[in-house]
Each structure stands twice: as C-alpha cells, then as structure tokens.
C-alpha cells in the first residue's frame, strides 16, 4: 500500500526529532508480536502528550487504557523522578506486556499499571489528597463523560483532561451512528462544548493513525 502524504510527514517528523528510541520501538514490536491491537498513540502524539505534561507541570497522571505501555512511557518520561503515572488496563495479559516494557524503560517506580475496569479502579484510587494534574483517556469511549466527571472532581485549577480519538475519521459527524465509540465521543464533544468548568479545544489529527483527533481541556 502506498503511504499517504500524512503518513510520510509523520515519519519525517519522527525522524528529525528522533522520537523513538529502542525502548519505544521494542514496545511497539511487543504489541505486534503479542497480537495486541495497534492502537498506541504515534510517536508524534507521544511527544505531544509529553509536552502537555511538561506544560502543566504534571506530577500526578492518570491514564485510561495502557495497552503495551507506549503512551505510559512517554508520560512517565515527562515526570520521571518527580511524580507518578497510574495507568489502568482491563486486560491482564496486556498489562503484563506493558509492565515488562515499562521495566525496560526504567520506569517501574514512576508508572504503575493497575488491572481492572477503569471506572471500578478509579473509584478505589487513593490520591492521598493530591490532585490529578493530567488525565488521559484512551479506552472505552462510551464512558468518556464518566471519566471526565471523575477527572474534574479530582483536578486542580490548571489540570489537563485529554481524550483521544474524538473524531474517528469524521464519523463523529454522523448523528445517526449506532457505533458505540462514535456515540461515546459525540456525547463527549457535546458535553465539553457546554461545560463552563473547563476551556477546551479539539484538534483534528492526521498521520500514521489515519484521521482522528484529540480533545484537550484545561480546568478553570
Ligand atoms: N494508551 C495506549 C493505547 C490504549 S488502547 C497507548 O497509546 O499506548 C486501549 C486499551 O484500553 C486497550 O489495551 C484495552 O484493553 C483497554 N481497555 C478497554 N476498555 C477498558 C476499560 N473499561 N478499562 C480499562 N482499560 C480498558
Ligand atoms: C481505536 C482506539 C484507539 O485508542 C485508537 O487510538 C485508535 C482506534 C479503536 O478502538 O478503534
Ligand atoms: Mg487512542
């Protein structure tokens, strides 16, 4: 299959910024070898998450959907030594793959993978009075609004709440969609548009992950 211009530019940016070291490359390989879905963020998106984590001076990060730990490693590197990433994964086998990748990245003390259904796990987390600085949701689109509500309750002024895959190749336009992922992200975008506790912006994205988008909300 021929590469699109968007994929070529994604690779170009990844190359000139040297975005993927062996750890990140091996993490992606482990996902393919283990027959896991190829749903990790791209290297450019990983770099963007890293930048956002730095910009809000994140110490406490929560991620919904670990997969092989690719985005967790980017987030862990952004706060290394100064905080913690809790990443929640429903699939025990995926969580084991992720833990191995996180260990190889030297981030075992920074990134904790918790196994379970994210909503259940969230309700058991003890934040020890500290706010969540950055919340990244990247799984289970039908529950995006519920994740947002939890994140907002546990945020501070200036926290970021980020949601991946809110455009879905433009399927987000289809008000009659019966695809639960589309219905989920449509409800999410609509909620953000009306929510006056956050300032939000939705970015359309193209590249190796086709056409999708990310919603970024800053807590007022
Ligand atoms: N953030 C990852 C990709 C996550 S893909 C990265 O960019 O590297 C989504 C993951 O969420 C999958 O591994 C899937 O098993 C997991 N998942 C799906 N539903 C979930 C739920 N309800 N709770 C926790 N994890 C879930
Ligand atoms: C899907 C999920 C993702 O998190 C992603 O980045 C791309 C696709 C999916 O479920 O189709
Ligand atoms: Mg995603």
């Amino acid at each position: 299959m021929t590469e699109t211009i968007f994929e070529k530019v994604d690779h170009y940016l990844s190359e000139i910024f040297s975005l993927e070291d062996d750890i990140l490359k091996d993490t992606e390989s482990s996902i393919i070898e283990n027959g896991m879905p190829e749903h990790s963020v791209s290297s450019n998106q990983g770099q963007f998450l890293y930048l956002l984590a730095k910009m809000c001076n994140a110490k406490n990060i929560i991620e919904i959907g670990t997969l092989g730990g690719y985005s967790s490693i980017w987030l862990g590197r952004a706060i290394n030594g100064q905080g913690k990433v809790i990443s929640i994964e429903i699939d025990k086998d995926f969580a084991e793959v992720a833990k191995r990748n996180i260990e190889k990245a030297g981030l075992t003390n920074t990134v904790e993978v918790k196994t379970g259904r994210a909503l259940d796990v969230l309700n058991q987390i003890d934040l020890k009075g500290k706010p969540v600085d950055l919340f990244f949701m990247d799984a289970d689109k039908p529950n995006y609004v519920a994740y947002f509500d939890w994140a907002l309750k546990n945020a501070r002024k200036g926290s970021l709440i980020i949601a991946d895959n809110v455009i879905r190749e433009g399927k987000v336009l289809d008000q009659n969609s019966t695809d639960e992922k589309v219905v989920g992200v449509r409800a999410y975008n609509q909620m953000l548009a009306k929510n006056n506790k956050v300032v939000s912006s939705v970015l359309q994205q193209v590249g190796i992950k086709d056409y999708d988008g990310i919603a970024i909300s800053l807590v007022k």
Side-chain angles (χ1 to χ4, degrees), residues 41-103:
V41 296
S42 68
S43 55
N44 281 296
Q45 290 167 331
Q47 181 196 34
F48 186 57
L49 288 174
Y50 178 96
L51 175 69
L52 291 173
K54 292 279 187 199
M55 284 170 72
C56 70
N57 192 23
K59 304 268 185 272
N60 279 313
I61 296 181
I62 292 190
E63 172 179 68
I64 310 296
T66 318
L67 190 65
Y70 187 93
S71 54
S72 319
I73 291 172
W74 274 103
L75 291 167
R77 285 178 173 175
I79 57 160
N80 199 11
Q82 302 183 67
K84 202 153 182 198
V85 178
I86 295 175
S87 185
I88 309 174
E89 173 54 54
I90 202 165
D91 187 297
K92 287 198 174 71
D93 295 334
F94 294 0
E96 288 312 312
V97 173
K99 282 180 196 167
R100 283 199 291 277
N101 290 324
I102 287 159
E103 190 183 347

Short mmCIF file of all heavy atoms in Angstrom, two decimals, residues 41-103:
data_model
loop_
_atom_site.label_atom_id
_atom_site.label_comp_id
_atom_site.label_asym_id
_atom_site.label_seq_id
_atom_site.Cartn_x
_atom_site.Cartn_y
_atom_site.Cartn_z
N VAL A 41 -0.69 5.47 20.72
CA VAL A 41 -0.51 6.77 20.10
C VAL A 41 0.73 6.69 19.21
O VAL A 41 1.61 5.85 19.41
CB VAL A 41 -0.35 7.91 21.14
CG1 VAL A 41 -1.61 8.08 21.96
CG2 VAL A 41 0.86 7.71 22.04
N SER A 42 0.81 7.57 18.22
CA SER A 42 2.01 7.62 17.37
C SER A 42 3.14 8.30 18.13
O SER A 42 2.91 8.88 19.21
CB SER A 42 1.69 8.42 16.10
OG SER A 42 1.49 9.78 16.45
N SER A 43 4.33 8.26 17.58
CA SER A 43 5.45 8.91 18.26
C SER A 43 5.22 10.43 18.37
O SER A 43 5.51 11.03 19.40
CB SER A 43 6.77 8.61 17.56
OG SER A 43 6.71 8.98 16.20
N ASN A 44 4.65 11.02 17.32
CA ASN A 44 4.37 12.46 17.39
C ASN A 44 3.31 12.78 18.43
O ASN A 44 3.40 13.81 19.11
CB ASN A 44 3.92 12.97 16.01
CG ASN A 44 5.11 13.19 15.10
OD1 ASN A 44 5.96 14.03 15.38
ND2 ASN A 44 5.20 12.42 14.04
N GLN A 45 2.34 11.90 18.56
CA GLN A 45 1.33 12.11 19.59
C GLN A 45 1.92 11.89 20.98
O GLN A 45 1.55 12.58 21.93
CB GLN A 45 0.13 11.17 19.36
CG GLN A 45 -0.68 11.56 18.13
CD GLN A 45 -1.66 10.47 17.71
OE1 GLN A 45 -1.43 9.28 17.92
NE2 GLN A 45 -2.75 10.88 17.08
N GLY A 46 2.83 10.94 21.08
CA GLY A 46 3.52 10.71 22.35
C GLY A 46 4.31 11.94 22.77
O GLY A 46 4.26 12.37 23.92
N GLN A 47 5.00 12.52 21.80
CA GLN A 47 5.78 13.74 22.07
C GLN A 47 4.84 14.87 22.50
O GLN A 47 5.17 15.67 23.38
CB GLN A 47 6.54 14.13 20.80
CG GLN A 47 7.40 15.37 20.93
CD GLN A 47 7.82 15.92 19.57
OE1 GLN A 47 7.07 15.84 18.59
NE2 GLN A 47 9.01 16.48 19.50
N PHE A 48 3.68 14.93 21.89
CA PHE A 48 2.69 15.96 22.22
C PHE A 48 2.19 15.78 23.66
O PHE A 48 2.08 16.73 24.43
CB PHE A 48 1.55 15.91 21.21
CG PHE A 48 0.54 17.02 21.36
CD1 PHE A 48 0.93 18.35 21.28
CD2 PHE A 48 -0.81 16.73 21.56
CE1 PHE A 48 0.00 19.38 21.42
CE2 PHE A 48 -1.75 17.75 21.69
CZ PHE A 48 -1.34 19.07 21.62
N LEU A 49 1.91 14.52 24.04
CA LEU A 49 1.48 14.25 25.42
C LEU A 49 2.58 14.63 26.41
O LEU A 49 2.31 15.19 27.48
CB LEU A 49 1.13 12.77 25.60
CG LEU A 49 -0.15 12.27 24.94
CD1 LEU A 49 -0.25 10.75 25.08
CD2 LEU A 49 -1.39 12.94 25.55
N TYR A 50 3.81 14.32 26.03
CA TYR A 50 4.98 14.66 26.85
C TYR A 50 5.04 16.17 27.07
O TYR A 50 5.22 16.66 28.19
CB TYR A 50 6.22 14.14 26.13
CG TYR A 50 7.55 14.41 26.77
CD1 TYR A 50 8.15 13.46 27.59
CD2 TYR A 50 8.23 15.60 26.54
CE1 TYR A 50 9.39 13.68 28.16
CE2 TYR A 50 9.47 15.84 27.10
CZ TYR A 50 10.04 14.88 27.91
OH TYR A 50 11.27 15.11 28.48
N LEU A 51 4.85 16.90 25.98
CA LEU A 51 4.87 18.37 26.04
C LEU A 51 3.75 18.89 26.94
O LEU A 51 3.98 19.77 27.78
CB LEU A 51 4.71 18.91 24.61
CG LEU A 51 4.60 20.42 24.44
CD1 LEU A 51 5.91 21.10 24.76
CD2 LEU A 51 4.20 20.74 22.99
N LEU A 52 2.56 18.34 26.78
CA LEU A 52 1.43 18.79 27.60
C LEU A 52 1.70 18.51 29.08
O LEU A 52 1.38 19.34 29.94
CB LEU A 52 0.13 18.10 27.16
CG LEU A 52 -0.42 18.52 25.80
CD1 LEU A 52 -1.61 17.64 25.43
CD2 LEU A 52 -0.83 19.98 25.78
N ALA A 53 2.27 17.36 29.37
CA ALA A 53 2.58 17.02 30.77
C ALA A 53 3.58 18.02 31.35
O ALA A 53 3.44 18.48 32.48
CB ALA A 53 3.13 15.59 30.86
N LYS A 54 4.57 18.39 30.55
CA LYS A 54 5.55 19.39 31.00
C LYS A 54 4.87 20.74 31.20
O LYS A 54 5.16 21.47 32.15
CB LYS A 54 6.66 19.54 29.95
CG LYS A 54 7.56 18.34 29.80
CD LYS A 54 8.60 18.33 30.89
CE LYS A 54 9.63 17.23 30.67
NZ LYS A 54 10.36 16.92 31.91
N MET A 55 3.98 21.10 30.26
CA MET A 55 3.35 22.42 30.30
C MET A 55 2.47 22.63 31.52
O MET A 55 2.33 23.75 31.99
CB MET A 55 2.54 22.66 29.02
CG MET A 55 3.42 22.98 27.83
SD MET A 55 2.52 22.97 26.28
CE MET A 55 1.57 24.46 26.44
N CYS A 56 1.87 21.55 32.03
CA CYS A 56 1.03 21.73 33.24
C CYS A 56 1.78 21.27 34.48
O CYS A 56 1.18 21.10 35.54
CB CYS A 56 -0.32 21.04 33.09
SG CYS A 56 -0.24 19.25 33.11
N ASN A 57 3.09 21.08 34.33
CA ASN A 57 3.94 20.71 35.46
C ASN A 57 3.36 19.48 36.18
O ASN A 57 3.23 19.45 37.40
CB ASN A 57 4.08 21.90 36.42
CG ASN A 57 5.16 21.69 37.45
OD1 ASN A 57 6.08 20.89 37.23
ND2 ASN A 57 5.05 22.36 38.57
N ALA A 58 3.04 18.47 35.38
CA ALA A 58 2.35 17.31 35.93
C ALA A 58 3.23 16.49 36.86
O ALA A 58 4.40 16.24 36.58
CB ALA A 58 1.85 16.43 34.78
N LYS A 59 2.63 16.13 37.99
CA LYS A 59 3.29 15.22 38.93
C LYS A 59 2.44 13.95 39.05
O LYS A 59 2.96 12.87 39.22
CB LYS A 59 3.40 15.86 40.32
CG LYS A 59 4.11 17.21 40.31
CD LYS A 59 5.61 17.07 40.55
CE LYS A 59 6.28 18.42 40.67
NZ LYS A 59 6.69 18.95 39.35
N ASN A 60 1.14 14.15 39.03
CA ASN A 60 0.21 13.01 39.15
C ASN A 60 -0.59 12.87 37.87
O ASN A 60 -1.36 13.76 37.51
CB ASN A 60 -0.78 13.24 40.30
CG ASN A 60 -0.15 12.89 41.62
OD1 ASN A 60 0.47 11.83 41.76
ND2 ASN A 60 -0.29 13.78 42.58
N ILE A 61 -0.38 11.74 37.20
CA ILE A 61 -1.04 11.50 35.92
C ILE A 61 -1.87 10.22 36.02
O ILE A 61 -1.42 9.23 36.62
CB ILE A 61 0.01 11.36 34.79
CG1 ILE A 61 0.77 12.69 34.61
CG2 ILE A 61 -0.64 10.91 33.48
CD1 ILE A 61 1.82 12.68 33.50
N ILE A 62 -3.05 10.26 35.44
CA ILE A 62 -3.85 9.03 35.33
C ILE A 62 -4.18 8.80 33.87
O ILE A 62 -4.54 9.73 33.14
CB ILE A 62 -5.13 9.11 36.20
CG1 ILE A 62 -4.69 9.11 37.67
CG2 ILE A 62 -6.06 7.92 35.89
CD1 ILE A 62 -5.76 8.93 38.68
N GLU A 63 -3.99 7.55 33.46
CA GLU A 63 -4.25 7.16 32.07
C GLU A 63 -5.26 6.02 32.05
O GLU A 63 -5.13 5.06 32.81
CB GLU A 63 -2.93 6.70 31.43
CG GLU A 63 -3.09 6.10 30.05
CD GLU A 63 -1.76 5.68 29.44
OE1 GLU A 63 -1.13 4.72 29.94
OE2 GLU A 63 -1.34 6.33 28.48
N ILE A 64 -6.23 6.11 31.17
CA ILE A 64 -7.20 5.03 30.98
C ILE A 64 -6.83 4.30 29.69
O ILE A 64 -6.92 4.88 28.61
CB ILE A 64 -8.64 5.60 30.87
CG1 ILE A 64 -8.98 6.57 32.00
CG2 ILE A 64 -9.66 4.45 30.78
CD1 ILE A 64 -8.99 5.97 33.37
N GLY A 65 -6.41 3.04 29.81
CA GLY A 65 -6.01 2.26 28.64
C GLY A 65 -4.51 2.22 28.48
O GLY A 65 -3.90 3.15 27.94
N THR A 66 -3.87 1.13 28.97
CA THR A 66 -2.40 1.03 28.95
C THR A 66 -1.90 0.38 27.67
O THR A 66 -0.86 0.78 27.14
CB THR A 66 -1.90 0.17 30.14
OG1 THR A 66 -2.63 0.51 31.31
CG2 THR A 66 -0.42 0.35 30.36
N LEU A 67 -2.61 -0.65 27.20
CA LEU A 67 -2.17 -1.49 26.09
C LEU A 67 -0.74 -2.00 26.36
O LEU A 67 -0.54 -2.68 27.35
CB LEU A 67 -2.31 -0.72 24.76
CG LEU A 67 -2.13 -1.54 23.48
CD1 LEU A 67 -3.22 -2.59 23.32
CD2 LEU A 67 -2.14 -0.63 22.25
N GLY A 68 0.25 -1.64 25.55
CA GLY A 68 1.61 -2.12 25.77
C GLY A 68 2.48 -1.14 26.53
O GLY A 68 3.69 -1.35 26.68
N GLY A 69 1.90 -0.03 26.97
CA GLY A 69 2.66 0.93 27.76
C GLY A 69 3.34 2.03 26.96
O GLY A 69 4.11 2.82 27.51
N TYR A 70 3.01 2.13 25.67
CA TYR A 70 3.71 3.11 24.82
C TYR A 70 3.47 4.55 25.30
O TYR A 70 4.43 5.29 25.57
CB TYR A 70 3.28 2.93 23.36
CG TYR A 70 4.06 3.77 22.38
CD1 TYR A 70 5.20 3.26 21.75
CD2 TYR A 70 3.69 5.07 22.09
CE1 TYR A 70 5.93 4.03 20.85
CE2 TYR A 70 4.41 5.85 21.20
CZ TYR A 70 5.53 5.32 20.58
OH TYR A 70 6.26 6.10 19.70
N SER A 71 2.20 4.94 25.44
CA SER A 71 1.93 6.31 25.91
C SER A 71 2.33 6.46 27.38
O SER A 71 2.76 7.55 27.79
CB SER A 71 0.46 6.69 25.71
OG SER A 71 -0.39 5.73 26.31
N SER A 72 2.22 5.38 28.16
CA SER A 72 2.62 5.46 29.57
C SER A 72 4.11 5.81 29.68
O SER A 72 4.51 6.56 30.58
CB SER A 72 2.41 4.13 30.30
OG SER A 72 1.20 3.52 29.94
N ILE A 73 4.92 5.25 28.77
CA ILE A 73 6.36 5.54 28.80
C ILE A 73 6.61 7.02 28.47
O ILE A 73 7.38 7.69 29.15
CB ILE A 73 7.13 4.58 27.86
CG1 ILE A 73 7.09 3.15 28.43
CG2 ILE A 73 8.59 5.04 27.66
CD1 ILE A 73 7.66 2.07 27.51
N TRP A 74 5.91 7.53 27.47
CA TRP A 74 6.05 8.97 27.16
C TRP A 74 5.68 9.82 28.38
O TRP A 74 6.39 10.77 28.73
CB TRP A 74 5.17 9.36 25.98
CG TRP A 74 5.81 9.14 24.64
CD1 TRP A 74 5.58 8.12 23.77
CD2 TRP A 74 6.80 9.98 24.02
NE1 TRP A 74 6.35 8.27 22.64
CE2 TRP A 74 7.11 9.40 22.77
CE3 TRP A 74 7.44 11.16 24.39
CZ2 TRP A 74 8.04 9.97 21.88
CZ3 TRP A 74 8.37 11.72 23.51
CH2 TRP A 74 8.66 11.13 22.29
N LEU A 75 4.57 9.49 29.01
CA LEU A 75 4.10 10.29 30.17
C LEU A 75 5.04 10.11 31.36
O LEU A 75 5.36 11.06 32.07
CB LEU A 75 2.67 9.90 30.54
CG LEU A 75 1.61 10.31 29.50
CD1 LEU A 75 0.27 9.62 29.78
CD2 LEU A 75 1.42 11.83 29.48
N GLY A 76 5.50 8.87 31.55
CA GLY A 76 6.44 8.60 32.65
C GLY A 76 7.74 9.36 32.47
O GLY A 76 8.30 9.89 33.44
N ARG A 77 8.19 9.45 31.23
CA ARG A 77 9.44 10.20 30.97
C ARG A 77 9.26 11.69 31.24
O ARG A 77 10.21 12.37 31.62
CB ARG A 77 9.88 9.97 29.52
CG ARG A 77 10.48 8.58 29.33
CD ARG A 77 10.87 8.34 27.89
NE ARG A 77 11.59 7.07 27.76
CZ ARG A 77 11.97 6.54 26.62
NH1 ARG A 77 11.71 7.16 25.47
NH2 ARG A 77 12.62 5.40 26.60
N ALA A 78 8.04 12.18 31.04
CA ALA A 78 7.81 13.61 31.27
C ALA A 78 7.91 13.97 32.75
O ALA A 78 8.27 15.10 33.08
CB ALA A 78 6.43 14.01 30.73
N ILE A 79 7.61 13.02 33.62
CA ILE A 79 7.61 13.35 35.06
C ILE A 79 8.67 12.59 35.83
O ILE A 79 8.69 12.62 37.05
CB ILE A 79 6.25 13.03 35.71
CG1 ILE A 79 5.87 11.57 35.50
CG2 ILE A 79 5.18 13.97 35.22
CD1 ILE A 79 4.84 11.11 36.51
N ASN A 80 9.53 11.90 35.12
CA ASN A 80 10.42 10.92 35.78
C ASN A 80 11.05 11.47 37.05
O ASN A 80 11.64 12.54 37.05
CB ASN A 80 11.51 10.44 34.81
CG ASN A 80 12.11 9.14 35.30
OD1 ASN A 80 11.59 8.52 36.22
ND2 ASN A 80 13.21 8.75 34.70
N GLY A 81 10.91 10.70 38.11
CA GLY A 81 11.53 11.07 39.38
C GLY A 81 10.71 12.03 40.20
O GLY A 81 10.94 12.18 41.40
N GLN A 82 9.74 12.68 39.61
CA GLN A 82 9.02 13.72 40.36
C GLN A 82 7.54 13.46 40.52
O GLN A 82 6.79 14.37 40.87
CB GLN A 82 9.15 15.06 39.63
CG GLN A 82 10.55 15.53 39.43
CD GLN A 82 10.51 16.89 38.77
OE1 GLN A 82 10.07 17.87 39.37
NE2 GLN A 82 10.90 16.96 37.51
N GLY A 83 7.09 12.27 40.22
CA GLY A 83 5.66 12.03 40.34
C GLY A 83 5.30 10.63 39.93
O GLY A 83 6.16 9.73 39.93
N LYS A 84 4.04 10.45 39.60
CA LYS A 84 3.57 9.11 39.32
C LYS A 84 2.52 9.08 38.21
O LYS A 84 1.68 9.96 38.12
CB LYS A 84 2.94 8.55 40.60
CG LYS A 84 2.90 7.07 40.58
CD LYS A 84 2.92 6.45 41.97
CE LYS A 84 2.92 4.96 41.77
NZ LYS A 84 2.55 4.18 42.88
N VAL A 85 2.61 8.06 37.38
CA VAL A 85 1.57 7.78 36.39
C VAL A 85 0.86 6.51 36.87
O VAL A 85 1.50 5.50 37.13
CB VAL A 85 2.16 7.49 34.99
CG1 VAL A 85 1.04 7.16 33.99
CG2 VAL A 85 3.00 8.65 34.49
N ILE A 86 -0.46 6.59 36.99
CA ILE A 86 -1.25 5.38 37.21
C ILE A 86 -1.95 5.10 35.89
O ILE A 86 -2.69 5.96 35.38
CB ILE A 86 -2.27 5.54 38.35
CG1 ILE A 86 -1.55 5.75 39.68
CG2 ILE A 86 -3.20 4.32 38.42
CD1 ILE A 86 -2.48 6.03 40.85
N SER A 87 -1.68 3.94 35.31
CA SER A 87 -2.30 3.59 34.04
C SER A 87 -3.19 2.38 34.26
O SER A 87 -2.78 1.40 34.88
CB SER A 87 -1.23 3.30 32.99
OG SER A 87 -1.84 3.07 31.73
N ILE A 88 -4.42 2.44 33.76
CA ILE A 88 -5.41 1.38 34.04
C ILE A 88 -5.69 0.57 32.79
O ILE A 88 -5.98 1.13 31.73
CB ILE A 88 -6.71 1.99 34.60
CG1 ILE A 88 -6.40 2.93 35.77
CG2 ILE A 88 -7.68 0.88 35.02
CD1 ILE A 88 -7.60 3.69 36.30
N GLU A 89 -5.58 -0.75 32.93
CA GLU A 89 -5.78 -1.67 31.80
C GLU A 89 -6.70 -2.81 32.21
O GLU A 89 -6.46 -3.47 33.21
CB GLU A 89 -4.41 -2.20 31.34
CG GLU A 89 -4.46 -3.27 30.28
CD GLU A 89 -5.25 -2.89 29.04
OE1 GLU A 89 -4.96 -1.83 28.44
OE2 GLU A 89 -6.19 -3.63 28.67
N ILE A 90 -7.70 -3.06 31.40
CA ILE A 90 -8.69 -4.11 31.72
C ILE A 90 -8.16 -5.51 31.44
O ILE A 90 -8.57 -6.48 32.08
CB ILE A 90 -10.01 -3.83 30.95
CG1 ILE A 90 -11.19 -4.51 31.63
CG2 ILE A 90 -9.91 -4.23 29.49
CD1 ILE A 90 -12.55 -4.00 31.14
N ASP A 91 -7.24 -5.62 30.48
CA ASP A 91 -6.78 -6.94 30.02
C ASP A 91 -5.49 -7.33 30.77
O ASP A 91 -4.46 -6.66 30.63
CB ASP A 91 -6.54 -6.88 28.50
CG ASP A 91 -6.21 -8.23 27.90
OD1 ASP A 91 -5.17 -8.82 28.28
OD2 ASP A 91 -6.99 -8.70 27.05
N LYS A 92 -5.57 -8.43 31.52
CA LYS A 92 -4.43 -8.84 32.36
C LYS A 92 -3.19 -9.14 31.52
O LYS A 92 -2.07 -8.83 31.92
CB LYS A 92 -4.80 -10.10 33.16
CG LYS A 92 -5.76 -9.83 34.29
CD LYS A 92 -5.73 -11.01 35.29
CE LYS A 92 -6.57 -10.73 36.52
NZ LYS A 92 -8.02 -10.73 36.28
N ASP A 93 -3.39 -9.79 30.36
CA ASP A 93 -2.23 -10.14 29.52
C ASP A 93 -1.58 -8.88 28.95
O ASP A 93 -0.35 -8.76 28.92
CB ASP A 93 -2.66 -11.06 28.37
CG ASP A 93 -3.16 -12.41 28.89
OD1 ASP A 93 -2.74 -12.80 29.99
OD2 ASP A 93 -3.99 -13.03 28.20
N PHE A 94 -2.40 -7.92 28.52
CA PHE A 94 -1.84 -6.66 28.01
C PHE A 94 -1.06 -5.96 29.12
O PHE A 94 0.03 -5.42 28.90
CB PHE A 94 -2.95 -5.71 27.52
CG PHE A 94 -3.71 -6.17 26.30
CD1 PHE A 94 -3.43 -7.38 25.67
CD2 PHE A 94 -4.73 -5.37 25.77
CE1 PHE A 94 -4.16 -7.79 24.55
CE2 PHE A 94 -5.45 -5.78 24.65
CZ PHE A 94 -5.17 -6.98 24.05
N ALA A 95 -1.63 -5.99 30.33
CA ALA A 95 -0.97 -5.32 31.47
C ALA A 95 0.40 -5.93 31.74
O ALA A 95 1.35 -5.21 32.06
CB ALA A 95 -1.86 -5.40 32.70
N GLU A 96 0.51 -7.26 31.57
CA GLU A 96 1.82 -7.91 31.79
C GLU A 96 2.83 -7.46 30.73
O GLU A 96 3.99 -7.19 31.05
CB GLU A 96 1.67 -9.44 31.76
CG GLU A 96 0.97 -10.02 32.99
CD GLU A 96 1.54 -9.48 34.30
OE1 GLU A 96 2.77 -9.48 34.46
OE2 GLU A 96 0.74 -9.04 35.15
N VAL A 97 2.39 -7.38 29.48
CA VAL A 97 3.28 -6.90 28.41
C VAL A 97 3.72 -5.47 28.73
O VAL A 97 4.91 -5.12 28.65
CB VAL A 97 2.56 -6.95 27.03
CG1 VAL A 97 3.41 -6.29 25.94
CG2 VAL A 97 2.22 -8.39 26.65
N ALA A 98 2.77 -4.64 29.14
CA ALA A 98 3.08 -3.24 29.45
C ALA A 98 4.08 -3.14 30.60
O ALA A 98 5.05 -2.37 30.53
CB ALA A 98 1.80 -2.49 29.80
N LYS A 99 3.87 -3.95 31.63
CA LYS A 99 4.78 -3.88 32.79
C LYS A 99 6.20 -4.22 32.39
O LYS A 99 7.16 -3.60 32.87
CB LYS A 99 4.30 -4.84 33.89
CG LYS A 99 3.12 -4.28 34.69
CD LYS A 99 2.69 -5.28 35.75
CE LYS A 99 1.31 -4.92 36.29
NZ LYS A 99 0.71 -6.00 37.07
N ARG A 100 6.34 -5.20 31.49
CA ARG A 100 7.70 -5.55 31.02
C ARG A 100 8.32 -4.39 30.26
O ARG A 100 9.49 -4.07 30.43
CB ARG A 100 7.66 -6.80 30.13
CG ARG A 100 7.49 -8.10 30.92
CD ARG A 100 7.91 -9.31 30.07
NE ARG A 100 7.00 -9.57 28.97
CZ ARG A 100 5.85 -10.25 29.08
NH1 ARG A 100 5.49 -10.76 30.23
NH2 ARG A 100 5.08 -10.45 28.03
N ASN A 101 7.53 -3.74 29.41
CA ASN A 101 8.06 -2.61 28.64
C ASN A 101 8.43 -1.43 29.54
O ASN A 101 9.45 -0.76 29.34
CB ASN A 101 7.04 -2.17 27.58
CG ASN A 101 6.91 -3.21 26.48
OD1 ASN A 101 7.89 -3.86 26.10
ND2 ASN A 101 5.69 -3.39 25.96
N ILE A 102 7.60 -1.22 30.55
CA ILE A 102 7.85 -0.12 31.49
C ILE A 102 9.11 -0.40 32.31
O ILE A 102 9.91 0.50 32.58
CB ILE A 102 6.59 0.09 32.37
CG1 ILE A 102 5.48 0.73 31.52
CG2 ILE A 102 6.89 0.93 33.61
CD1 ILE A 102 4.07 0.54 32.06
N GLU A 103 9.30 -1.66 32.64
CA GLU A 103 10.51 -2.04 33.38
C GLU A 103 11.75 -1.80 32.52
O GLU A 103 12.74 -1.24 32.98
CB GLU A 103 10.41 -3.51 33.78
CG GLU A 103 11.50 -3.91 34.75
CD GLU A 103 11.46 -5.40 35.11
OE1 GLU A 103 10.45 -6.06 34.80
OE2 GLU A 103 12.46 -5.86 35.67
#
